[in-house]
Amino acid sequence: MAGAHGDWLPAVCRTARNAGAEILEVYRQDFEVEYKQDKSPVTIADLRADQLITSELGELTPDIPVLSEEDAPNRPAAERAGWTTYWLVDPLDGTKGFIRKNDFFTVNIALIENHRPVLGVVFVPATNRLYYAAQTLGAFVQNGEAEPRAIRVRDTAREKPVIAVSREHINQPTRKLIEQLGEHELIRADSSIKCCLVAEGSADLYLRVGPTCEWDTGASQCIVEEAGGRLTDCADRPLRYNTKESLINPSFVAYSPASPDWRRYVEDQ
């Protein structure tokens, strides 16, 4: 299976771009917002992107199941327990920002093997920016139709570390942790873009205190790790996937070797 990761990357990148085109078609017009049982918003763009990704991944790898945010309620833990390999998809990460038309939303596609991400693609439709990685192959970014370039996390400390935070909201526990890290600069983004900023060296650290779901982090974790960084829980253990009934992540940190020492401040998280 490992040798197939690189072979699948071009097709998965195309699928992410195709889903992004579906999303932008909706984004440029008026659209209705509905709400799921958990009160999170959903639009026709989420559903159209989900349908396209599920279909194209099904054609690419008919024997590998797809776990998508939009289909997760129909995939009970008893079914998922038998999966050693599966696709993990957030067809539109950052739906709230999409609704506010802030451009900071992404398409996230990850391949999970034995509870770890081994391939990740993050596409930013509004800016036509594509991040991708596969285990042992490195991490890359492509702006529009330009040639892709390899990316690495920052490995030397800045005078003021750069911390990625949400554009719209920083909760109080996160704010408190950031303040404890000392003098710093902030860079604002939403969705999985924040992790990708760490991967490309634009930011040194992204702290997320509070719940997220596994499809929010699978793709970007692979990208951060292949770029030389880490994405871990607050005990510095890499996030693992499909290990329990719930698909909720713990609080997590994406960081580079040049990031400030955050560990001493998060013991109680």
Side-chain angles (χ1 to χ4, degrees):
M1 182 71 72
H5 301 159
D7 294 339
W8 290 339
L9 256 180
V12 180
C13 288
R14 282 195 300 272
T15 290
R17 288 185 179 278
N18 291 342
E22 292 284 329
I23 290 167
L24 286 180
E25 188 174 322
V26 177
Y27 189 56
R28 294 181 180 125
Q29 22 181 297
D30 293 331
F31 53 85
E32 294 184 359
V33 180
E34 299 181 359
Y35 291 87
K36 306 177 194 176
Q37 278 191 325
D38 64 1
K39 304 290 197 317
S40 62
V42 64
T43 71
I44 189 64
D46 299 76
L47 302 178
R48 283 171 57 174
D50 175 64
Q51 184 177 32
L52 183 146
I53 294 168
T54 301
S55 174
E56 293 194 5
L57 291 179
E59 292 177 6
L60 178 67
T61 56
D63 297 328
I64 298 179
V66 178
L67 178 65
S68 169
E69 176 183 8
E70 304 310 326
D71 189 46
N74 301 318
R75 299 286 198 171
E79 177 186 353
R80 292 187 276 108
W83 296 354
T84 57
T85 302
Y86 66 99
W87 295 102
L88 180 62
V89 174
D90 190 342
L92 205 174
D93 182 19
T95 299
K96 292 179 182 177
F98 174 84
I99 292 166
R100 289 191 290 267
K101 296 187 181 289
N102 73 4
D103 289 358
F104 287 82
F105 49 87
T106 61
V107 177
N108 302 340
I109 305 175
L111 181 68
I112 309 296
E113 275 187 4
N114 299 316
H115 311 293
R116 294 291 303 274
V118 295
L119 179 153
V121 174
V122 171
F123 181 54
V124 190
T127 60
N128 198 15
R129 190 170 177 86
L130 178 74
Y131 297 90
Y132 61 92
Q135 192 174 59
T136 75
L137 297 180
F140 301 84
V141 65
Q142 183 178 21
N143 287 308
E145 303 308 315
E147 284 296 310
R149 62 178 176 84
I151 55 175
R152 294 289 295 175
V153 297
R154 188 173 176 89
D155 58 7
T156 56
R158 307 176 211 253
E159 184 176 344
K160 291 183 183 179
V162 176
I163 301 173
V165 297
S166 169
R167 293 181 71 254
E168 303 291 338
H169 174 68
I170 310 175
N171 65 23
Q172 190 54 38
T174 302
R175 191 183 303 277
K176 181 179 177 182
L177 280 173
I178 290 173
E179 289 171 354
Q180 289 175 306
L181 294 174
E183 199 170 3
H184 59 269
E185 296 180 3
L186 298 180
I187 183 169
R188 297 183 181 274
D190 287 326
S191 67
S192 56
I193 295 172
K194 295 187 288 294
C195 292
C196 293
L197 292 174
V198 174
E200 71 181 14
S202 299
D204 303 304
L205 180 70
Y206 167 45
L207 294 159
R208 174 61 189 237
V209 181
T212 56
C213 292
E214 294 186 359
W215 46 77
D216 294 315
T217 56
S220 55
Q221 180 172 346
C222 182
I223 293 166
V224 169
E225 290 178 344
E226 285 298 311
R230 284 170 63 81
L231 195 155
T232 71
D233 65 17
C234 291
D236 209 18
R237 297 170 299 208
L239 294 193
R240 288 170 56 80
Y241 295 81
N242 195 30
T243 62
K244 57 190 186 303
E245 184 171 351
S246 169
L247 293 167
I248 302 296
N249 284 327
S251 297
F252 69 85
V253 187
Y255 67 97
S256 74
S259 70
D261 185 8
W262 52 269
R263 297 166 188 83
R264 70 179 106 168
Y265 303 114
V266 299
E267 293 176 1
D268 297 329
Q269 299 300 323

